[in-house]
Amino acid sequence: MKKLTALVTALMLLLCGCAVDESESVLIDTGLLAAYYKTVTVTDWRVVSALWLSGEDIADYNVALTAGNSAYGKACYTLAAAVTEFLFTDGTYSCDVYTEDLIFALKNPSGSASEIATILLALYAVGSDYDPTAALDYLKTLQLKDGGFGADEYASRSDAEASAAALEAITAYRVEYGDDESRDRLLVYLADSINDDNTIDGRDGEPSASATAAVLTALIYAGIPNDGEISTALRTALNGFSVGGTFSEIRNGSFDRNATAEVYFCAATAIRGSIFEAFGQNRS
């Protein structure tokens, strides 16, 4: 317990190390992001989730979900469909279409931490009674010495976004299948990944909007204290990637679809709480 308390304290200090005066900061405007997504076709489960978290009406958006042939693609479809079926009660998409495919994919788990984590989260979202022990055990084999997870199953260097996905999966199943030693090592890695300006580096070693947003989203779900000062500090860091209401992956860059989706999901989560908490309530 003392170790975990110290870890949480360290995370708070790191996140607040460059805290910005809220009166001088411009927090992420989820209304602007929601307005942007009215102009495009919504295909990303993170955006569908953010729309619900932001209190938007899904009928105002052109949502077109596709799965593809991969288990990862089917998992992403399932996550978005679960939001529309359970939370929006839209009924257009059924979230259990690929449940058996996803369970089969984890029968002999292989692939990257991000892929396995996303499949696990999709099964969690639909309330499947699947026993995740084998997949979680496999996920632990991918954990590197510094506590993080690599971008693929062969990586020797940890990646913040992959590690964030792993943390979400570990958190989802923690009550019944938790391994706090693995979780604590992962939290230490994420704490060490936070730069002095509260950004987090991407795979190219430079500050990344996607990585910063993904880690904050995962930390919120993991229950790391997220008071106004912490939230303001990290969301203000993300404003450095803003491009006319949307977001770039790098500072002073151009619009990036993935970064914009990740930041919107993060901002909505910071305001309303994790989408996986809503799925957890649906399971109970």
Side-chain angles (χ1 to χ4, degrees), residues 79 86 118-128 169 171-174 176 221 275-283:
L79 284 164
F86 295 144
T118 303
I119 296 169
L120 282 168
L121 288 168
L123 290 171
Y124 180 82
V126 300
S128 171
T171 300
Y173 291 98
R174 184 184 180 201
E176 295 180 81
Y221 182 40
I275 196 71
F276 299 112
E277 292 175 357
F279 288 143
Q281 292 170 7
N282 183 68
R283 289 169 65 90

PDB file of all heavy atoms in Angstrom, residues 79 86 118-128 169 171-174 176 221 275-283:
ATOM      1  N   LEU A  79     -16.436  -2.177 -30.055  1.00  0.00           N
ATOM      2  CA  LEU A  79     -16.428  -1.095 -29.062  1.00  0.00           C
ATOM      3  C   LEU A  79     -17.373   0.034 -29.471  1.00  0.00           C
ATOM      4  O   LEU A  79     -18.150   0.538 -28.652  1.00  0.00           O
ATOM      5  CB  LEU A  79     -15.003  -0.557 -28.886  1.00  0.00           C
ATOM      6  CG  LEU A  79     -14.066  -1.445 -28.066  1.00  0.00           C
ATOM      7  CD1 LEU A  79     -12.618  -1.031 -28.273  1.00  0.00           C
ATOM      8  CD2 LEU A  79     -14.437  -1.373 -26.589  1.00  0.00           C
ATOM      9  N   PHE A  86     -25.704   0.145 -26.206  1.00  0.00           N
ATOM     10  CA  PHE A  86     -25.950   0.210 -24.776  1.00  0.00           C
ATOM     11  C   PHE A  86     -26.153   1.623 -24.257  1.00  0.00           C
ATOM     12  O   PHE A  86     -26.919   1.847 -23.317  1.00  0.00           O
ATOM     13  CB  PHE A  86     -24.787  -0.427 -24.007  1.00  0.00           C
ATOM     14  CG  PHE A  86     -24.627  -1.896 -24.246  1.00  0.00           C
ATOM     15  CD1 PHE A  86     -23.373  -2.470 -24.293  1.00  0.00           C
ATOM     16  CD2 PHE A  86     -25.729  -2.723 -24.435  1.00  0.00           C
ATOM     17  CE1 PHE A  86     -23.214  -3.824 -24.512  1.00  0.00           C
ATOM     18  CE2 PHE A  86     -25.581  -4.086 -24.661  1.00  0.00           C
ATOM     19  CZ  PHE A  86     -24.320  -4.632 -24.693  1.00  0.00           C
ATOM     20  N   THR A 118      -7.088  -4.268 -26.968  1.00  0.00           N
ATOM     21  CA  THR A 118      -8.315  -3.800 -27.613  1.00  0.00           C
ATOM     22  C   THR A 118      -9.349  -4.912 -27.711  1.00  0.00           C
ATOM     23  O   THR A 118     -10.546  -4.683 -27.494  1.00  0.00           O
ATOM     24  CB  THR A 118      -7.999  -3.234 -29.007  1.00  0.00           C
ATOM     25  OG1 THR A 118      -7.025  -2.184 -28.883  1.00  0.00           O
ATOM     26  CG2 THR A 118      -9.252  -2.666 -29.665  1.00  0.00           C
ATOM     27  N   ILE A 119      -8.910  -6.123 -28.012  1.00  0.00           N
ATOM     28  CA  ILE A 119      -9.836  -7.261 -28.068  1.00  0.00           C
ATOM     29  C   ILE A 119     -10.417  -7.532 -26.678  1.00  0.00           C
ATOM     30  O   ILE A 119     -11.624  -7.765 -26.516  1.00  0.00           O
ATOM     31  CB  ILE A 119      -9.131  -8.504 -28.618  1.00  0.00           C
ATOM     32  CG1 ILE A 119      -8.681  -8.272 -30.065  1.00  0.00           C
ATOM     33  CG2 ILE A 119     -10.048  -9.729 -28.546  1.00  0.00           C
ATOM     34  CD1 ILE A 119      -7.756  -9.344 -30.614  1.00  0.00           C
ATOM     35  N   LEU A 120      -9.570  -7.497 -25.659  1.00  0.00           N
ATOM     36  CA  LEU A 120     -10.043  -7.690 -24.289  1.00  0.00           C
ATOM     37  C   LEU A 120     -11.069  -6.627 -23.895  1.00  0.00           C
ATOM     38  O   LEU A 120     -12.096  -6.927 -23.278  1.00  0.00           O
ATOM     39  CB  LEU A 120      -8.862  -7.664 -23.320  1.00  0.00           C
ATOM     40  CG  LEU A 120      -8.017  -8.938 -23.233  1.00  0.00           C
ATOM     41  CD1 LEU A 120      -6.728  -8.672 -22.468  1.00  0.00           C
ATOM     42  CD2 LEU A 120      -8.800 -10.063 -22.565  1.00  0.00           C
ATOM     43  N   LEU A 121     -10.798  -5.393 -24.254  1.00  0.00           N
ATOM     44  CA  LEU A 121     -11.713  -4.301 -23.913  1.00  0.00           C
ATOM     45  C   LEU A 121     -13.045  -4.448 -24.647  1.00  0.00           C
ATOM     46  O   LEU A 121     -14.106  -4.128 -24.098  1.00  0.00           O
ATOM     47  CB  LEU A 121     -11.062  -2.959 -24.239  1.00  0.00           C
ATOM     48  CG  LEU A 121      -9.918  -2.551 -23.307  1.00  0.00           C
ATOM     49  CD1 LEU A 121      -9.149  -1.360 -23.887  1.00  0.00           C
ATOM     50  CD2 LEU A 121     -10.430  -2.227 -21.910  1.00  0.00           C
ATOM     51  N   ALA A 122     -12.995  -4.935 -25.877  1.00  0.00           N
ATOM     52  CA  ALA A 122     -14.234  -5.138 -26.632  1.00  0.00           C
ATOM     53  C   ALA A 122     -15.096  -6.211 -25.965  1.00  0.00           C
ATOM     54  O   ALA A 122     -16.322  -6.045 -25.830  1.00  0.00           O
ATOM     55  CB  ALA A 122     -13.916  -5.531 -28.070  1.00  0.00           C
ATOM     56  N   LEU A 123     -14.481  -7.292 -25.520  1.00  0.00           N
ATOM     57  CA  LEU A 123     -15.229  -8.340 -24.836  1.00  0.00           C
ATOM     58  C   LEU A 123     -15.770  -7.846 -23.496  1.00  0.00           C
ATOM     59  O   LEU A 123     -16.880  -8.215 -23.082  1.00  0.00           O
ATOM     60  CB  LEU A 123     -14.339  -9.574 -24.639  1.00  0.00           C
ATOM     61  CG  LEU A 123     -13.992 -10.331 -25.928  1.00  0.00           C
ATOM     62  CD1 LEU A 123     -12.928 -11.392 -25.666  1.00  0.00           C
ATOM     63  CD2 LEU A 123     -15.240 -10.968 -26.530  1.00  0.00           C
ATOM     64  N   TYR A 124     -15.004  -7.005 -22.848  1.00  0.00           N
ATOM     65  CA  TYR A 124     -15.474  -6.391 -21.598  1.00  0.00           C
ATOM     66  C   TYR A 124     -16.681  -5.501 -21.873  1.00  0.00           C
ATOM     67  O   TYR A 124     -17.668  -5.515 -21.141  1.00  0.00           O
ATOM     68  CB  TYR A 124     -14.338  -5.577 -20.986  1.00  0.00           C
ATOM     69  CG  TYR A 124     -14.695  -4.886 -19.686  1.00  0.00           C
ATOM     70  CD1 TYR A 124     -14.661  -5.584 -18.482  1.00  0.00           C
ATOM     71  CD2 TYR A 124     -15.047  -3.538 -19.658  1.00  0.00           C
ATOM     72  CE1 TYR A 124     -14.972  -4.952 -17.288  1.00  0.00           C
ATOM     73  CE2 TYR A 124     -15.364  -2.900 -18.469  1.00  0.00           C
ATOM     74  CZ  TYR A 124     -15.328  -3.618 -17.293  1.00  0.00           C
ATOM     75  OH  TYR A 124     -15.650  -3.000 -16.103  1.00  0.00           O
ATOM     76  N   ALA A 125     -16.615  -4.734 -22.952  1.00  0.00           N
ATOM     77  CA  ALA A 125     -17.681  -3.788 -23.274  1.00  0.00           C
ATOM     78  C   ALA A 125     -19.014  -4.470 -23.535  1.00  0.00           C
ATOM     79  O   ALA A 125     -20.073  -3.941 -23.177  1.00  0.00           O
ATOM     80  CB  ALA A 125     -17.280  -2.942 -24.493  1.00  0.00           C
ATOM     81  N   VAL A 126     -18.978  -5.640 -24.161  1.00  0.00           N
ATOM     82  CA  VAL A 126     -20.235  -6.330 -24.492  1.00  0.00           C
ATOM     83  C   VAL A 126     -20.720  -7.238 -23.372  1.00  0.00           C
ATOM     84  O   VAL A 126     -21.746  -7.907 -23.504  1.00  0.00           O
ATOM     85  CB  VAL A 126     -20.105  -7.141 -25.800  1.00  0.00           C
ATOM     86  CG1 VAL A 126     -19.754  -6.232 -26.962  1.00  0.00           C
ATOM     87  CG2 VAL A 126     -19.078  -8.263 -25.665  1.00  0.00           C
ATOM     88  N   GLY A 127     -19.981  -7.269 -22.266  1.00  0.00           N
ATOM     89  CA  GLY A 127     -20.416  -8.075 -21.133  1.00  0.00           C
ATOM     90  C   GLY A 127     -20.189  -9.555 -21.299  1.00  0.00           C
ATOM     91  O   GLY A 127     -20.861 -10.368 -20.655  1.00  0.00           O
ATOM     92  N   SER A 128     -19.233  -9.937 -22.136  1.00  0.00           N
ATOM     93  CA  SER A 128     -18.952 -11.349 -22.361  1.00  0.00           C
ATOM     94  C   SER A 128     -18.451 -12.005 -21.079  1.00  0.00           C
ATOM     95  O   SER A 128     -17.730 -11.394 -20.285  1.00  0.00           O
ATOM     96  CB  SER A 128     -17.888 -11.501 -23.454  1.00  0.00           C
ATOM     97  OG  SER A 128     -17.443 -12.836 -23.539  1.00  0.00           O
ATOM     98  N   ALA A 169      -6.812  -2.358 -20.366  1.00  0.00           N
ATOM     99  CA  ALA A 169      -7.253  -3.752 -20.302  1.00  0.00           C
ATOM    100  C   ALA A 169      -7.018  -4.337 -18.913  1.00  0.00           C
ATOM    101  O   ALA A 169      -7.882  -5.034 -18.354  1.00  0.00           O
ATOM    102  CB  ALA A 169      -6.529  -4.583 -21.360  1.00  0.00           C
ATOM    103  N   THR A 171      -6.872  -2.702 -16.149  1.00  0.00           N
ATOM    104  CA  THR A 171      -7.814  -2.054 -15.233  1.00  0.00           C
ATOM    105  C   THR A 171      -9.209  -2.663 -15.357  1.00  0.00           C
ATOM    106  O   THR A 171      -9.887  -2.890 -14.354  1.00  0.00           O
ATOM    107  CB  THR A 171      -7.873  -0.544 -15.522  1.00  0.00           C
ATOM    108  OG1 THR A 171      -6.564   0.020 -15.348  1.00  0.00           O
ATOM    109  CG2 THR A 171      -8.851   0.155 -14.587  1.00  0.00           C
ATOM    110  N   ALA A 172      -9.640  -2.938 -16.587  1.00  0.00           N
ATOM    111  CA  ALA A 172     -10.982  -3.474 -16.810  1.00  0.00           C
ATOM    112  C   ALA A 172     -11.188  -4.793 -16.063  1.00  0.00           C
ATOM    113  O   ALA A 172     -12.250  -5.030 -15.481  1.00  0.00           O
ATOM    114  CB  ALA A 172     -11.226  -3.656 -18.302  1.00  0.00           C
ATOM    115  N   TYR A 173     -10.166  -5.641 -16.065  1.00  0.00           N
ATOM    116  CA  TYR A 173     -10.304  -6.967 -15.468  1.00  0.00           C
ATOM    117  C   TYR A 173      -9.628  -7.081 -14.106  1.00  0.00           C
ATOM    118  O   TYR A 173      -9.472  -8.188 -13.575  1.00  0.00           O
ATOM    119  CB  TYR A 173      -9.721  -8.012 -16.418  1.00  0.00           C
ATOM    120  CG  TYR A 173     -10.532  -8.193 -17.679  1.00  0.00           C
ATOM    121  CD1 TYR A 173     -10.158  -7.540 -18.864  1.00  0.00           C
ATOM    122  CD2 TYR A 173     -11.670  -8.990 -17.705  1.00  0.00           C
ATOM    123  CE1 TYR A 173     -10.895  -7.703 -20.029  1.00  0.00           C
ATOM    124  CE2 TYR A 173     -12.415  -9.152 -18.865  1.00  0.00           C
ATOM    125  CZ  TYR A 173     -12.027  -8.504 -20.022  1.00  0.00           C
ATOM    126  OH  TYR A 173     -12.761  -8.658 -21.173  1.00  0.00           O
ATOM    127  N   ARG A 174      -9.267  -5.950 -13.528  1.00  0.00           N
ATOM    128  CA  ARG A 174      -8.450  -5.967 -12.309  1.00  0.00           C
ATOM    129  C   ARG A 174      -9.167  -6.617 -11.124  1.00  0.00           C
ATOM    130  O   ARG A 174      -8.555  -7.356 -10.355  1.00  0.00           O
ATOM    131  CB  ARG A 174      -8.047  -4.539 -11.950  1.00  0.00           C
ATOM    132  CG  ARG A 174      -7.106  -4.455 -10.757  1.00  0.00           C
ATOM    133  CD  ARG A 174      -6.819  -3.026 -10.376  1.00  0.00           C
ATOM    134  NE  ARG A 174      -5.927  -2.950  -9.231  1.00  0.00           N
ATOM    135  CZ  ARG A 174      -5.825  -1.894  -8.448  1.00  0.00           C
ATOM    136  NH1 ARG A 174      -6.550  -0.818  -8.704  1.00  0.00           N
ATOM    137  NH2 ARG A 174      -5.005  -1.903  -7.413  1.00  0.00           N
ATOM    138  N   GLU A 176     -11.394  -9.030 -10.821  1.00  0.00           N
ATOM    139  CA  GLU A 176     -11.453 -10.491 -10.827  1.00  0.00           C
ATOM    140  C   GLU A 176     -10.134 -11.159 -11.183  1.00  0.00           C
ATOM    141  O   GLU A 176      -9.854 -12.273 -10.731  1.00  0.00           O
ATOM    142  CB  GLU A 176     -12.526 -10.964 -11.814  1.00  0.00           C
ATOM    143  CG  GLU A 176     -13.945 -10.559 -11.434  1.00  0.00           C
ATOM    144  CD  GLU A 176     -14.956 -11.053 -12.451  1.00  0.00           C
ATOM    145  OE1 GLU A 176     -15.328 -12.233 -12.385  1.00  0.00           O
ATOM    146  OE2 GLU A 176     -15.339 -10.249 -13.323  1.00  0.00           O
ATOM    147  N   TYR A 221      -8.942   6.228 -16.157  1.00  0.00           N
ATOM    148  CA  TYR A 221      -9.662   4.972 -15.947  1.00  0.00           C
ATOM    149  C   TYR A 221      -9.020   4.148 -14.830  1.00  0.00           C
ATOM    150  O   TYR A 221      -9.710   3.468 -14.066  1.00  0.00           O
ATOM    151  CB  TYR A 221      -9.705   4.168 -17.240  1.00  0.00           C
ATOM    152  CG  TYR A 221     -10.462   2.867 -17.141  1.00  0.00           C
ATOM    153  CD1 TYR A 221     -11.651   2.773 -16.411  1.00  0.00           C
ATOM    154  CD2 TYR A 221      -9.998   1.717 -17.793  1.00  0.00           C
ATOM    155  CE1 TYR A 221     -12.352   1.568 -16.325  1.00  0.00           C
ATOM    156  CE2 TYR A 221     -10.692   0.523 -17.716  1.00  0.00           C
ATOM    157  CZ  TYR A 221     -11.868   0.453 -16.980  1.00  0.00           C
ATOM    158  OH  TYR A 221     -12.551  -0.726 -16.898  1.00  0.00           O
ATOM    159  N   ILE A 275     -15.256   5.736 -20.514  1.00  0.00           N
ATOM    160  CA  ILE A 275     -16.319   4.973 -21.171  1.00  0.00           C
ATOM    161  C   ILE A 275     -16.369   3.559 -20.625  1.00  0.00           C
ATOM    162  O   ILE A 275     -17.447   2.928 -20.569  1.00  0.00           O
ATOM    163  CB  ILE A 275     -16.105   4.956 -22.708  1.00  0.00           C
ATOM    164  CG1 ILE A 275     -17.392   4.516 -23.434  1.00  0.00           C
ATOM    165  CG2 ILE A 275     -14.938   4.063 -23.095  1.00  0.00           C
ATOM    166  CD1 ILE A 275     -18.481   5.518 -23.407  1.00  0.00           C
ATOM    167  N   PHE A 276     -15.227   3.047 -20.162  1.00  0.00           N
ATOM    168  CA  PHE A 276     -15.197   1.685 -19.654  1.00  0.00           C
ATOM    169  C   PHE A 276     -15.879   1.574 -18.294  1.00  0.00           C
ATOM    170  O   PHE A 276     -16.331   0.494 -17.906  1.00  0.00           O
ATOM    171  CB  PHE A 276     -13.763   1.169 -19.616  1.00  0.00           C
ATOM    172  CG  PHE A 276     -13.136   1.134 -20.987  1.00  0.00           C
ATOM    173  CD1 PHE A 276     -12.096   1.992 -21.315  1.00  0.00           C
ATOM    174  CD2 PHE A 276     -13.624   0.268 -21.956  1.00  0.00           C
ATOM    175  CE1 PHE A 276     -11.543   1.980 -22.587  1.00  0.00           C
ATOM    176  CE2 PHE A 276     -13.079   0.247 -23.236  1.00  0.00           C
ATOM    177  CZ  PHE A 276     -12.040   1.103 -23.549  1.00  0.00           C
ATOM    178  N   GLU A 277     -15.965   2.663 -17.575  1.00  0.00           N
ATOM    179  CA  GLU A 277     -16.759   2.676 -16.356  1.00  0.00           C
ATOM    180  C   GLU A 277     -18.238   2.476 -16.691  1.00  0.00           C
ATOM    181  O   GLU A 277     -18.967   1.766 -15.996  1.00  0.00           O
ATOM    182  CB  GLU A 277     -16.541   3.976 -15.589  1.00  0.00           C
ATOM    183  CG  GLU A 277     -15.147   4.124 -15.006  1.00  0.00           C
ATOM    184  CD  GLU A 277     -14.937   5.479 -14.367  1.00  0.00           C
ATOM    185  OE1 GLU A 277     -15.853   6.325 -14.429  1.00  0.00           O
ATOM    186  OE2 GLU A 277     -13.852   5.682 -13.779  1.00  0.00           O
ATOM    187  N   ALA A 278     -18.678   3.127 -17.778  1.00  0.00           N
ATOM    188  CA  ALA A 278     -20.063   2.958 -18.220  1.00  0.00           C
ATOM    189  C   ALA A 278     -20.311   1.518 -18.656  1.00  0.00           C
ATOM    190  O   ALA A 278     -21.358   0.934 -18.343  1.00  0.00           O
ATOM    191  CB  ALA A 278     -20.373   3.919 -19.356  1.00  0.00           C
ATOM    192  N   PHE A 279     -19.351   0.931 -19.355  1.00  0.00           N
ATOM    193  CA  PHE A 279     -19.498  -0.461 -19.763  1.00  0.00           C
ATOM    194  C   PHE A 279     -19.524  -1.375 -18.522  1.00  0.00           C
ATOM    195  O   PHE A 279     -20.253  -2.363 -18.482  1.00  0.00           O
ATOM    196  CB  PHE A 279     -18.352  -0.888 -20.673  1.00  0.00           C
ATOM    197  CG  PHE A 279     -18.426  -0.293 -22.054  1.00  0.00           C
ATOM    198  CD1 PHE A 279     -17.265   0.097 -22.718  1.00  0.00           C
ATOM    199  CD2 PHE A 279     -19.633  -0.135 -22.699  1.00  0.00           C
ATOM    200  CE1 PHE A 279     -17.326   0.625 -24.003  1.00  0.00           C
ATOM    201  CE2 PHE A 279     -19.703   0.399 -23.990  1.00  0.00           C
ATOM    202  CZ  PHE A 279     -18.549   0.776 -24.625  1.00  0.00           C
ATOM    203  N   GLY A 280     -18.710  -1.047 -17.516  1.00  0.00           N
ATOM    204  CA  GLY A 280     -18.686  -1.840 -16.296  1.00  0.00           C
ATOM    205  C   GLY A 280     -20.029  -1.819 -15.589  1.00  0.00           C
ATOM    206  O   GLY A 280     -20.487  -2.840 -15.061  1.00  0.00           O
ATOM    207  N   GLN A 281     -20.679  -0.665 -15.580  1.00  0.00           N
ATOM    208  CA  GLN A 281     -22.012  -0.561 -14.981  1.00  0.00           C
ATOM    209  C   GLN A 281     -23.013  -1.389 -15.775  1.00  0.00           C
ATOM    210  O   GLN A 281     -23.926  -1.987 -15.211  1.00  0.00           O
ATOM    211  CB  GLN A 281     -22.439   0.908 -14.938  1.00  0.00           C
ATOM    212  CG  GLN A 281     -21.613   1.735 -13.973  1.00  0.00           C
ATOM    213  CD  GLN A 281     -21.862   3.229 -14.112  1.00  0.00           C
ATOM    214  OE1 GLN A 281     -22.751   3.645 -14.847  1.00  0.00           O
ATOM    215  NE2 GLN A 281     -21.077   4.026 -13.411  1.00  0.00           N
ATOM    216  N   ASN A 282     -22.825  -1.433 -17.093  1.00  0.00           N
ATOM    217  CA  ASN A 282     -23.721  -2.224 -17.928  1.00  0.00           C
ATOM    218  C   ASN A 282     -23.569  -3.719 -17.658  1.00  0.00           C
ATOM    219  O   ASN A 282     -24.503  -4.495 -17.774  1.00  0.00           O
ATOM    220  CB  ASN A 282     -23.433  -1.941 -19.400  1.00  0.00           C
ATOM    221  CG  ASN A 282     -24.374  -2.679 -20.344  1.00  0.00           C
ATOM    222  OD1 ASN A 282     -25.553  -2.390 -20.407  1.00  0.00           O
ATOM    223  ND2 ASN A 282     -23.825  -3.668 -21.056  1.00  0.00           N
ATOM    224  N   ARG A 283     -22.323  -4.127 -17.289  1.00  0.00           N
ATOM    225  CA  ARG A 283     -22.056  -5.542 -16.999  1.00  0.00           C
ATOM    226  C   ARG A 283     -22.686  -5.988 -15.689  1.00  0.00           C
ATOM    227  O   ARG A 283     -23.025  -7.148 -15.522  1.00  0.00           O
ATOM    228  CB  ARG A 283     -20.540  -5.768 -16.902  1.00  0.00           C
ATOM    229  CG  ARG A 283     -19.804  -5.679 -18.226  1.00  0.00           C
ATOM    230  CD  ARG A 283     -18.314  -5.646 -17.986  1.00  0.00           C
ATOM    231  NE  ARG A 283     -17.831  -6.890 -17.400  1.00  0.00           N
ATOM    232  CZ  ARG A 283     -17.405  -7.935 -18.104  1.00  0.00           C
ATOM    233  NH1 ARG A 283     -17.418  -7.900 -19.421  1.00  0.00           N
ATOM    234  NH2 ARG A 283     -16.960  -9.020 -17.503  1.00  0.00           N
TER     235      ARG A 283
END
